């Protein structure tokens, strides 16, 4: 059960049955280019991991990640046993993003990654039925 709250001016309020009817949020998110909470989390997760790997700071977090030593796969993270830890989730998300955006080295700027992520997220959010959210966006 998901709803969104919107305000209306006093003059436009109708206290009939139509007033209490639920409205779809997806068109509003599309119109105003708003990300869902899960998309915001994914966006920040991937941007943060990229910055940690590129700049190697903070060292305390960087030391938890294991970069691949294979030639041509320098940006690939070696993942451990799947778990709910930050490092495990971040590694899996980063490996998917780096493949999708073809990040082969760390010469890419954080701004480029941020821009690519926003475009991919908005494209994914707008896909599917115009009034229903896709199940893949909420995982």
């Amino acid at each position: 059960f998901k709803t969104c709250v919107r305000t209306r001016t006093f003059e436009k309020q109708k206290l009939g049955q139509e007033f209490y009817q639920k409205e779809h949020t997806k068109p509003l998110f599309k119109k105003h280019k708003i990300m869902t909470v899960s998309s915001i989390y994914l966006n920040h997760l991937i941007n943060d991991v990229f910055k940690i790997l590129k700049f190697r700071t903070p060292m305390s977090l960087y030391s938890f990640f294991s970069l691949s030593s294979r030639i041509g796969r320098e940006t690939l993270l070696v993942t451990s046993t799947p778990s709910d830890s930050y490092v495990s989730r971040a590694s899996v998300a980063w490996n998917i993003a780096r493949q999708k955006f073809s990040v082969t080295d760390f010469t890419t700027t954080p701004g480029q990654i941020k821009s690519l992520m926003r475009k991919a997220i908005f494209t994914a959010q707008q896909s599917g039925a115009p009034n229903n959210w896709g199940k893949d966006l909420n995982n």
Side-chain angles (χ1 to χ4, degrees):
F1 181 70
K2 297 177 183 179
T3 60
C4 182
V5 177
R6 288 195 283 168
T7 59
R8 295 189 173 109
T9 60
F10 184 72
E11 296 81 31
K12 293 186 179 181
Q13 287 190 14
K14 296 179 183 174
L15 300 178
Q17 188 172 351
E18 338 40 81
F19 178 74
Y20 296 102
Q21 182 179 1
K22 292 181 185 176
E23 297 180 41
H24 295 288
T25 56
K26 190 171 181 180
L28 289 173
F29 278 58
K30 182 178 179 180
K31 179 181 176 184
H32 298 290
K33 294 191 174 182
I34 301 171
M35 287 189 206
T36 61
V37 173
S38 58
S39 296
I40 292 170
Y41 172 77
L42 183 64
N43 185 36
H44 282 285
L45 181 71
I46 291 173
N47 283 315
D48 290 346
V49 170
F50 177 74
K51 290 176 187 177
I52 290 167
L53 297 176
K54 180 179 175 81
F55 302 117
R56 299 179 183 203
T57 56
M59 187 54 98
S60 58
L61 281 177
Y62 178 75
S63 64
F64 287 117
F65 294 103
S66 300
L67 287 167
S68 174
S69 59
R70 298 188 314 194
I71 297 174
R73 305 256 182 194
E74 291 83 8
T75 59
L76 181 70
L77 288 174
V78 178
T79 57
S80 60
T81 307
S83 70
D84 281 340
S85 71
Y86 173 80
V87 174
S88 179
R89 285 184 179 198
S91 296
V92 171
W94 170 249
N95 286 340
I96 293 169
R98 69 165 283 282
Q99 184 177 6
K100 184 172 185 161
F101 304 139
S102 301
V103 179
T104 56
D105 56 17
F106 290 112
T107 58
T108 308
T109 65
Q112 290 171 320
I113 295 294
K114 186 176 181 179
S115 176
L116 289 169
M117 274 301 299
R118 288 182 63 84
K119 286 179 187 174
I121 286 172
F122 287 130
T123 301
Q125 281 186 185
Q126 293 173 9
S127 65
N131 291 329
N132 295 326
W133 294 103
K135 292 181 182 180
D136 59 334
L137 291 174
N138 297 323
N139 294 335

